[in-house]
CSV table of all heavy atoms in Angstrom, one decimal:
chain,number,residue,atom,x,y,z
A,12,ILE,N,11.9,-49.7,-28.7
A,12,ILE,CA,12.7,-48.9,-27.8
A,12,ILE,C,12.5,-49.3,-26.4
A,12,ILE,O,13.4,-49.5,-25.6
A,12,ILE,CB,12.5,-47.4,-28.0
A,12,ILE,CG1,13.0,-47.0,-29.4
A,12,ILE,CG2,13.0,-46.6,-26.9
A,12,ILE,CD1,13.3,-45.6,-29.4
A,26,THR,N,23.6,-57.5,-12.9
A,26,THR,CA,25.1,-57.5,-12.9
A,26,THR,C,25.7,-56.6,-11.9
A,26,THR,O,26.8,-56.8,-11.5
A,26,THR,CB,25.6,-57.2,-14.2
A,26,THR,OG1,25.1,-56.0,-14.7
A,26,THR,CG2,25.3,-58.3,-15.2
A,27,ARG,N,25.0,-55.5,-11.5
A,27,ARG,CA,25.7,-54.5,-10.7
A,27,ARG,C,25.8,-54.9,-9.2
A,27,ARG,O,24.9,-55.5,-8.7
A,27,ARG,CB,25.0,-53.1,-10.8
A,27,ARG,CG,25.2,-52.5,-12.1
A,27,ARG,CD,26.6,-52.5,-12.4
A,27,ARG,NE,27.0,-52.1,-13.8
A,27,ARG,CZ,27.4,-50.9,-14.1
A,27,ARG,NH1,27.4,-50.0,-13.2
A,27,ARG,NH2,27.8,-50.7,-15.3
A,28,LYS,N,26.9,-54.6,-8.6
A,28,LYS,CA,27.1,-54.9,-7.2
A,28,LYS,C,26.6,-53.8,-6.3
A,28,LYS,O,26.0,-54.1,-5.2
A,28,LYS,CB,28.6,-55.1,-6.9
A,28,LYS,CG,29.1,-56.5,-6.9
A,28,LYS,CD,30.5,-56.5,-6.4
A,28,LYS,CE,31.1,-57.8,-6.4
A,28,LYS,NZ,32.5,-57.8,-6.0
A,29,ASN,N,26.7,-52.6,-6.7
A,29,ASN,CA,26.4,-51.4,-5.8
A,29,ASN,C,24.8,-51.3,-5.8
A,29,ASN,O,24.2,-51.3,-6.8
A,29,ASN,CB,27.0,-50.2,-6.4
A,29,ASN,CG,26.9,-49.0,-5.5
A,29,ASN,OD1,25.8,-48.6,-5.1
A,29,ASN,ND2,28.0,-48.5,-5.0
A,38,GLU,N,14.9,-48.0,-12.2
A,38,GLU,CA,14.3,-46.8,-12.9
A,38,GLU,C,14.2,-47.0,-14.4
A,38,GLU,O,13.2,-46.6,-15.0
A,38,GLU,CB,15.2,-45.6,-12.6
A,38,GLU,CG,15.4,-45.2,-11.1
A,38,GLU,CD,14.1,-44.9,-10.4
A,38,GLU,OE1,13.1,-44.5,-11.1
A,38,GLU,OE2,14.0,-45.0,-9.2
A,45,ASN,N,6.6,-47.2,-18.8
A,45,ASN,CA,5.9,-46.0,-19.1
A,45,ASN,C,5.8,-45.6,-20.5
A,45,ASN,O,4.8,-45.2,-21.0
A,45,ASN,CB,6.7,-44.9,-18.4
A,45,ASN,CG,6.0,-44.4,-17.2
A,45,ASN,OD1,4.9,-44.8,-16.9
A,45,ASN,ND2,6.6,-43.5,-16.4
A,53,ARG,N,-1.5,-43.3,-27.3
A,53,ARG,CA,-1.6,-42.5,-28.5
A,53,ARG,C,-2.1,-43.3,-29.7
A,53,ARG,O,-2.9,-42.8,-30.4
A,53,ARG,CB,-0.2,-42.0,-28.9
A,53,ARG,CG,-0.1,-41.3,-30.2
A,53,ARG,CD,0.8,-40.2,-30.2
A,53,ARG,NE,1.1,-39.6,-31.5
A,53,ARG,CZ,0.2,-38.8,-32.1
A,53,ARG,NH1,-0.9,-38.5,-31.5
A,53,ARG,NH2,0.5,-38.3,-33.3
A,54,TYR,N,-1.7,-44.6,-29.8
A,54,TYR,CA,-2.1,-45.3,-31.0
A,54,TYR,C,-3.3,-46.3,-30.8
A,54,TYR,O,-3.8,-46.8,-31.7
A,54,TYR,CB,-0.9,-46.2,-31.5
A,54,TYR,CG,0.2,-45.3,-32.1
A,54,TYR,CD1,1.3,-44.9,-31.4
A,54,TYR,CD2,0.1,-44.8,-33.4
A,54,TYR,CE1,2.3,-44.1,-31.9
A,54,TYR,CE2,1.0,-44.0,-34.0
A,54,TYR,CZ,2.2,-43.7,-33.2
A,54,TYR,OH,3.1,-42.9,-33.8
A,60,ASN,N,-6.3,-42.6,-20.7
A,60,ASN,CA,-6.1,-43.5,-19.5
A,60,ASN,C,-4.6,-44.0,-19.4
A,60,ASN,O,-4.1,-44.1,-18.3
A,60,ASN,CB,-7.0,-44.7,-19.6
A,60,ASN,CG,-8.5,-44.3,-19.5
A,60,ASN,OD1,-8.7,-43.4,-18.7
A,60,ASN,ND2,-9.3,-44.9,-20.2
A,67,PHE,N,0.9,-42.2,-12.7
A,67,PHE,CA,0.9,-42.9,-11.4
A,67,PHE,C,2.2,-43.7,-11.2
A,67,PHE,O,2.7,-43.8,-10.1
A,67,PHE,CB,-0.3,-43.8,-11.4
A,67,PHE,CG,-1.6,-43.2,-11.3
A,67,PHE,CD1,-2.8,-43.8,-11.6
A,67,PHE,CD2,-1.7,-41.8,-10.8
A,67,PHE,CE1,-4.0,-43.1,-11.5
A,67,PHE,CE2,-2.9,-41.2,-10.7
A,67,PHE,CZ,-4.1,-41.8,-11.1
B,12,ALA,N,15.6,-41.5,-29.9
B,12,ALA,CA,15.8,-42.9,-29.7
B,12,ALA,C,17.3,-43.3,-29.5
B,12,ALA,O,17.7,-44.0,-28.6
B,12,ALA,CB,15.2,-43.7,-30.8
B,23,VAL,N,24.2,-48.9,-17.7
B,23,VAL,CA,24.4,-50.2,-17.1
B,23,VAL,C,25.8,-50.8,-17.4
B,23,VAL,O,26.1,-51.9,-16.9
B,23,VAL,CB,23.3,-51.2,-17.5
B,23,VAL,CG1,22.0,-50.7,-16.9
B,23,VAL,CG2,23.2,-51.3,-19.0
B,25,VAL,N,29.1,-48.6,-17.7
B,25,VAL,CA,30.3,-47.9,-17.2
B,25,VAL,C,30.5,-48.3,-15.8
B,25,VAL,O,29.6,-48.6,-15.1
B,25,VAL,CB,30.2,-46.4,-17.4
B,25,VAL,CG1,30.2,-46.0,-18.9
B,25,VAL,CG2,29.0,-45.9,-16.7
B,46,TYR,N,8.2,-38.9,-25.0
B,46,TYR,CA,6.8,-38.6,-24.6
B,46,TYR,C,6.2,-37.4,-25.4
B,46,TYR,O,5.1,-37.4,-25.8
B,46,TYR,CB,6.8,-38.2,-23.1
B,46,TYR,CG,7.1,-39.3,-22.2
B,46,TYR,CD1,7.5,-39.1,-20.9
B,46,TYR,CD2,6.8,-40.6,-22.6
B,46,TYR,CE1,7.7,-40.2,-20.0
B,46,TYR,CE2,7.1,-41.7,-21.7
B,46,TYR,CZ,7.5,-41.4,-20.4
B,46,TYR,OH,7.8,-42.4,-19.6
B,49,LEU,N,5.0,-38.5,-28.6
B,49,LEU,CA,3.8,-39.3,-28.5
B,49,LEU,C,2.6,-38.4,-28.1
B,49,LEU,O,1.5,-38.9,-27.8
B,49,LEU,CB,4.0,-40.4,-27.4
B,49,LEU,CG,4.8,-41.6,-27.9
B,49,LEU,CD1,5.1,-42.5,-26.8
B,49,LEU,CD2,4.0,-42.4,-28.9
B,62,TYR,N,11.7,-37.0,-12.3
B,62,TYR,CA,12.8,-37.8,-12.5
B,62,TYR,C,14.1,-37.0,-12.5
B,62,TYR,O,15.0,-37.3,-11.7
B,62,TYR,CB,12.7,-38.6,-13.8
B,62,TYR,CG,12.1,-40.0,-13.7
B,62,TYR,CD1,10.8,-40.3,-14.1
B,62,TYR,CD2,12.9,-41.0,-13.1
B,62,TYR,CE1,10.3,-41.5,-13.9
B,62,TYR,CE2,12.3,-42.2,-12.9
B,62,TYR,CZ,11.1,-42.5,-13.3
B,62,TYR,OH,10.5,-43.7,-13.1
B,88,GLY,N,31.5,-52.8,-8.6
B,88,GLY,CA,31.9,-54.1,-9.1
B,88,GLY,C,30.7,-54.7,-10.0
B,88,GLY,O,29.6,-54.2,-9.9
B,90,LEU,N,29.1,-58.6,-11.4
B,90,LEU,CA,29.2,-60.0,-11.3
B,90,LEU,C,28.2,-60.7,-12.2
B,90,LEU,O,27.3,-60.0,-12.7
B,90,LEU,CB,28.9,-60.5,-9.8
B,90,LEU,CG,27.6,-60.2,-9.2
B,90,LEU,CD1,27.5,-61.0,-7.9
B,90,LEU,CD2,27.5,-58.7,-8.7
B,118,LEU,N,-4.7,-47.4,-34.2
B,118,LEU,CA,-5.4,-46.4,-34.9
B,118,LEU,C,-4.4,-45.4,-35.6
B,118,LEU,O,-3.3,-45.3,-35.1
B,118,LEU,CB,-6.3,-45.6,-33.9
B,118,LEU,CG,-7.4,-46.3,-33.2
B,118,LEU,CD1,-8.0,-45.4,-32.2
B,118,LEU,CD2,-8.4,-46.9,-34.2
B,138,TYR,N,-10.5,-40.8,-11.7
B,138,TYR,CA,-9.4,-41.4,-10.9
B,138,TYR,C,-9.2,-40.7,-9.6
B,138,TYR,O,-8.1,-40.8,-9.0
B,138,TYR,CB,-8.1,-41.2,-11.7
B,138,TYR,CG,-8.1,-42.1,-12.9
B,138,TYR,CD1,-8.4,-41.7,-14.2
B,138,TYR,CD2,-7.7,-43.5,-12.8
B,138,TYR,CE1,-8.4,-42.5,-15.3
B,138,TYR,CE2,-7.6,-44.3,-13.9
B,138,TYR,CZ,-8.0,-43.8,-15.1
B,138,TYR,OH,-8.0,-44.7,-16.2
B,145,LEU,N,-2.8,-42.2,-3.8
B,145,LEU,CA,-1.4,-42.0,-4.1
B,145,LEU,C,-0.8,-40.8,-3.2
B,145,LEU,O,0.3,-40.9,-2.8
B,145,LEU,CB,-1.2,-41.6,-5.5
B,145,LEU,CG,-1.2,-42.9,-6.4
B,145,LEU,CD1,-1.1,-42.4,-7.9
B,145,LEU,CD2,0.1,-43.7,-6.1
Side-chain angles (χ1 to χ4, degrees):
Chain A
I12 287 202
T26 56
R27 289 310 173 97
K28 261 187 182 177
N29 191 298
E38 300 297 339
N45 252 353
R53 173 146 170 78
Y54 288 99
N60 292 324
F67 291 160
Chain B
V23 293
V25 293
Y46 289 160
L49 284 167
Y62 264 107
L90 60 164
L118 298 176
Y138 288 97
L145 278 174

